Every structure is written in C-alpha cells, then in structure tokens.
Amino acid sequence: MSRRNQMKRNQPASMAGKMNDVTLPVRQAIGRGLEKWRQMSGKHKVGLVILLPIWLVLLMWQPAAKLEAVPVTGSLSLSLEPTVTRDIVIPDGGKRIDHTMAAGETLAALFREWKLPGSDLIALVRAEPSYKPLSQLRDGQELTLVLNNDGQLHYLEVTDKGLLLNAFRRMGQEFSVVTTP
C-alpha cells in the first residue's frame, strides 16, 4: 500500500463521506424498489397507484364519536344592575355632585360651570394614568364629585354602567388614583 493511501485511512472521514455512509442503505432500498416497479405489469402498477392512496386515507381516517343529544334544562337569570355599592364619605360642610356626561361635554367645561378651581383640574390631569380616561370621557359615563367645605374637589370617580373606571382622591394639593372610595 502506498504511503498516500495509508494516510487517507488514518484521516477522519469528511462530512460528505459520513452522509454517504449513512444514506447508502436507504438509497440502495429505493433502487431495489424502482427495479421491482419496472418489472411489474401495467395492470399491477395502475392498481397500486389507485389503491395505495385509498388505503392510506382509510388507515388515517378516524370516525367521529357519536354524541347523544341532551336536552337543555334549567335557567339562568342575571341582574344587570350593579351589585356593588360604594359609600362615598362626604367631609363636614362638603357636598356631592352626581353628573351623567352628555355628548360634547368636557371635564374642563364642567369645572367652569361648577366654579371649581382650575388648579384642581390641572392636578387631576397630572394624576391620571397613561391611558387618559379623563380626557376621553364619553356620553353616558357618570361622574361623582365630592367637594370639601372650601369648595375644592376632594374626590372624583368615573363610572360606566356601574363599573368603576377611575377614582381620584385629594392628597394635599395633588390627587392620587385610588381603587376604593
């Protein structure tokens, strides 16, 4: 054996060589199958081409289970009225204002109408969350305002069909978002 062939034997096989070794049995089996296909008569080939897909479909097909028809019984009644009631504390000498928003109304216009300080509105805007519910009040939403004895806003909540959207409570000169009145 020459020195060159001896060196080739000692070197690790290349990736292509490894792939060739792994796929050789599969390629040989495909070759044998194609040779047998060529030896088959035409009638047998047609039969296999037609019956093989049908057989595969039947093998994979699973009939659905029979479901019994069950009659619907019972009833369900739900109240659409809000079940949660909130008691809002009104400070001594203060008052409560309940208002339902009409189309085109803004909180700024309502503050002017009720003669509330503009500084309270600015403090509310600073306290509102990033999704800005106060700047996007809609027709039908309800406002509940509580004023202290000095006429300053003490508490504000926004509800929609009984669902509390947001509530703000005075904390000194600023407002803070609260979850309960």
Side-chain angles (χ1 to χ4, degrees):
M1 202 179 264
S2 72
R3 178 154 172 82
R4 186 177 185 141
N5 285 343
Q6 198 174 32
M7 284 179 56
K8 258 189 172 177
R9 276 192 177 175
N10 293 339
Q11 289 179 351
S14 67
M15 187 61 151
K18 289 179 184 177
M19 288 299 290
N20 188 38
D21 292 343
V22 169
T23 61
L24 183 62
V26 173
R27 290 181 289 131
Q28 287 174 337
I30 291 172
R32 285 190 301 268
L34 287 174
E35 186 59 37
K36 288 188 185 221
W37 178 262
R38 285 189 204 109
Q39 293 172 359
M40 251 188 238
S41 71
K43 291 179 185 177
H44 287 101
K45 288 180 185 178
V46 170
L48 281 176
V49 167
I50 292 171
L51 293 176
L52 186 63
I54 293 172
W55 181 78
L56 288 174
V57 167
L58 288 174
L59 186 66
M60 292 185 299
W61 177 61
Q62 296 179 1
K66 301 262 184 193
L67 297 177
E68 291 182 31
V70 178
V72 177
T73 60
S75 64
L76 176 65
S77 61
L78 296 173
S79 171
L80 298 178
E81 296 299 317
T83 56
V84 177
T85 57
R86 292 183 298 279
D87 292 324
I88 299 172
V89 179
I90 300 172
D92 291 333
K95 73 176 188 175
R96 176 180 171 150
I97 301 173
D98 291 309
H99 179 75
T100 302
M101 295 295 290
E105 279 187 324
T106 64
L107 195 57
L110 292 173
F111 264 58
R112 283 191 298 274
E113 180 183 324
W114 295 325
K115 296 181 177 47
L116 295 174
S119 59
D120 286 353
L121 181 60
I122 292 168
L124 278 170
V125 169
R126 278 197 298 255
E128 71 182 342
S130 61
Y131 54 89
K132 308 247 186 252
L134 293 177
S135 57
Q136 296 177 2
L137 293 175
R138 293 188 318 265
D139 184 22
Q141 290 180 334
E142 298 160 358
L143 301 177
T144 301
L145 292 88
V146 175
L147 307 178
N148 62 18
N149 58 354
D150 295 333
Q152 288 184 315
L153 184 63
H154 173 72
Y155 176 79
L156 168 76
E157 78 176 20
V158 181
T159 57
D160 192 6
K161 298 179 180 108
L163 176 67
L164 179 66
L165 299 179
N166 231 330
F168 300 89
R169 176 168 283 132
R170 178 178 290 283
M171 301 295 209
Q173 294 300 315
E174 297 297 319
F175 286 89
S176 177
V177 176
V178 293
T179 55
T180 59

